[in-house]
Amino acid sequence: MAKRALITGITGQDGSYLAELLLDLGYDVYGLVRRTSTQNFERIAHIQHRLNLISGDLSDQTSLQEALIQANPDEVYNLAAQSFVQTSWAQPVFTGDVTALGVTRLLDAIRHINPTIRFYQATSSEIFGNVREVPQRETTPFYPRSPYGVAKVYGHWITVNYRESYGIHASSGILFNHESPRRGFEFVTRKVTRGVAMIKLGLAHELHLGNLDAQRDWGFAGDYVKAMWRMLQEDTPGDYVIATGKTWSVQKLVETAFEYVDLDWRDYVRQDPSFIRPAEVDLLVGDPTKASTILGWEPSVGFVELVRMMVDADLKLLQENAVTAAGV
Ligand code: NAP
Ligand code: GDD
């Protein structure tokens, strides 16, 4: 019989790649979706006919219980979150409610409805914040630097706690930044690749950014969802750092993207204080040795290839939109 999986956050970047992967593996895939005034199923439109979508919200306990009863899953992947770090300062309580307490709501629903369900929690390298060690690994102490990072620390520890208290097969994936052509426009990689594409096509003349010195360990989202799945196939649950092991500055990201379309970034990039954060995470670089050794997981897309893939996709998207707008 086909395995069944429930994905929260299925309309997001990772949710869409994970849904594709699980469908390819022969799963029956269920997705939790929240009601919005304008439907935002763009990332899953191409596979929507193969998915079972259930209405629910991480802030609503009853809807989570109902989703578990309806989907009757073998595996639950909790990807839903208020995931934008900058917004977490503007909406700290909301971020805590969804990104932190939402994990407890889901785990507790699992405990009551079917404690044999295997559970994946989308933890983040933001938990390392003001890093205590370079590179960061599973044993590195946490020092979050935003309400989002603090919420993810809570989500991580409640996952460990439900594993230890109730024997739930619950794993925490400590994922470093991962990107793709489906990345939200507000995150720096997509903001840069879309900005570069707009400038190249004459649709914009400037790109406003914040701190260019921050360094991130950027990988490809399509690779990272494979690690999530592998964690839940292990006999023993655990915590895993998922990263490339290499780090790059935001400035290097900008240079790489502009260079690819034969433009000089200095002619277009303006520093804008409104994008500077109250507290910054200066350097993230992960050590994925445990994932490599136990899960056999390796990243397949490097930084330059990733940036070029995203610039190409944004150029194509904007050109297609122009054709549609012109009614051609
Ligand atoms: P994303 O594109 O922002 O997607 C977030 C998803 O969560 C969306 O489907 C969103 O639904 C849903 N959601 C938000 N609030 C919800 C709520 N109250 N109830 C139910 N669903 C809700 O994020 P992502 O990049 O795919 O990341 C997936 C997860 O991994 C997140 O938990 C994120 O914090 C974590 N993470 C991401 C990275 C990364 O670099 N991408 C790294 C480490 C950890 P709508 O479409 O309706 O908004
Ligand atoms: N978004 C954004 N916009 N970031 C900028 C900008 C800008 O205009 N200019 C500079 N940056 C810098 C930020 O200050 C930060 O240091 C870095 O670019 C990356 O910012 P984001 O792309 O917004 O990602 P993030 O690292 O804060 O968070 C992402 O990765 C986490 C994993 O480490 C998100 O996906 C989180 O959900 C995820 O947990």
Side-chain angles (χ1 to χ4, degrees):
M1 215 168 70
K3 272 198 194 174
R4 300 158 74 93
L6 172 66
I7 304 172
T8 73
I10 196 166
T11 54
Q13 172 189 256
D14 291 6
S16 66
Y17 282 107
L18 180 63
E20 281 173 4
L21 173 71
L22 296 179
L23 286 171
D24 285 350
L25 290 167
Y27 278 67
D28 288 338
V29 179
Y30 291 76
L32 189 82
V33 292
R34 54 182 182 163
R35 192 262 163 186
T36 46
S37 65
T38 308
Q39 218 180 51
N40 60 348
F41 292 172
E42 295 87 2
R43 294 183 179 106
I44 52 170
H46 60 296
I47 48 171
Q48 201 179 327
H49 60 288
R50 300 173 65 196
L51 301 172
N52 307 284
L53 300 181
I54 302 174
S55 175
D57 195 299
L58 277 198
S59 59
D60 187 292
Q61 184 74 39
T62 308
S63 71
L64 300 180
Q65 289 164 202
E66 284 300 320
L68 289 178
I69 291 167
Q70 211 178 309
N72 188 22
D74 301 289
E75 298 170 6
V76 169
Y77 295 85
N78 184 35
L79 309 187
Q82 189 303 94
S83 73
F84 190 41
V85 172
Q86 182 110 33
T87 292
S88 76
W89 279 285
Q91 301 179 24
V93 176
F94 173 75
T95 300
D97 189 34
V98 174
T99 305
L101 277 182
V103 189
T104 310
R105 291 191 189 98
L106 191 49
L107 278 167
D108 216 51
I110 287 173
R111 175 167 84 90
H112 282 102
I113 288 166
N114 177 5
T116 70
I117 290 170
R118 294 187 174 201
F119 178 80
Y120 172 84
Q121 169 57 17
T123 298
S124 159
S125 50
E126 280 286 305
I127 62 177
F128 298 122
N130 186 354
V131 298
R132 308 284 90 188
E133 186 179 24
V134 179
Q136 296 83 52
R137 43 180 73 91
E138 292 79 5
T139 49
T140 302
F142 304 157
Y143 193 142
R145 292 269 283 171
S146 63
Y148 169 82
V150 173
K152 283 291 182 184
V153 170
Y154 177 98
H156 170 79
W157 280 120
I158 201 70
T159 301
V160 174
N161 182 261
Y162 269 58
R163 178 166 79 215
E164 294 177 354
S165 303
Y166 304 114
I168 291 176
H169 190 296
S171 290
S172 173
I174 307 173
L175 271 54
F176 283 62
N177 298 51
H178 46 279
E179 320 293 314
S180 74
R182 298 184 198 164
R183 189 53 146 150
F185 293 119
E186 67 275 41
F187 299 96
V188 76
T189 49
R190 188 73 196 280
K191 185 172 169 183
V192 168
T193 60
R194 185 172 171 85
V196 163
M198 290 187 75
I199 290 168
K200 183 68 184 174
L201 297 175
L203 302 171
H205 306 288
E206 287 185 350
L207 177 59
H208 288 231
L209 294 171
N211 177 17
L212 299 185
D213 296 328
Q215 291 171 265
R216 290 291 183 275
D217 179 332
W218 279 296
F220 172 53
D223 285 338
Y224 285 44
V225 298
K226 292 179 185 159
M228 300 175 187
W229 176 76
R230 288 189 187 198
M231 283 178 220
L232 297 206
Q233 311 318 305
E234 287 296 309
D235 289 340
T236 310
D239 310 322
Y240 293 90
V241 160
I242 304 298
T244 69
K246 298 194 177 77
T247 194
W248 312 81
S249 68
V250 174
Q251 182 168 319
K252 186 68 189 171
L253 159 74
V254 168
E255 284 172 20
T256 306
F258 275 93
E259 211 174 84
Y260 184 47
V261 296
D262 299 319
L263 295 175
D264 185 340
W265 68 278
R266 282 169 290 235
D267 295 335
Y268 304 97
V269 171
R270 307 282 172 262
Q271 279 213 279
D272 184 336
S274 67
F275 296 111
I276 302 286
R277 299 176 176 183
E280 180 61 283
V281 171
D282 296 319
L283 166 68
L284 289 176
V285 55
D287 174 0
T289 303
K290 182 179 175 189
S292 167
T293 310
I294 298 180
L295 305 178
W297 179 85
E298 303 288 343
S300 75
V301 179
F303 171 75
V304 174
E305 190 187 344
L306 174 65
V307 174
R308 290 180 176 181
M309 176 207 297
M310 292 175 68
V311 172
D312 282 338
D314 275 321
L315 282 167
K316 186 162 174 272
L317 193 65
L318 288 168
Q319 281 159 339
E320 282 168 2
N321 288 351
V323 170
T324 310
V328 180

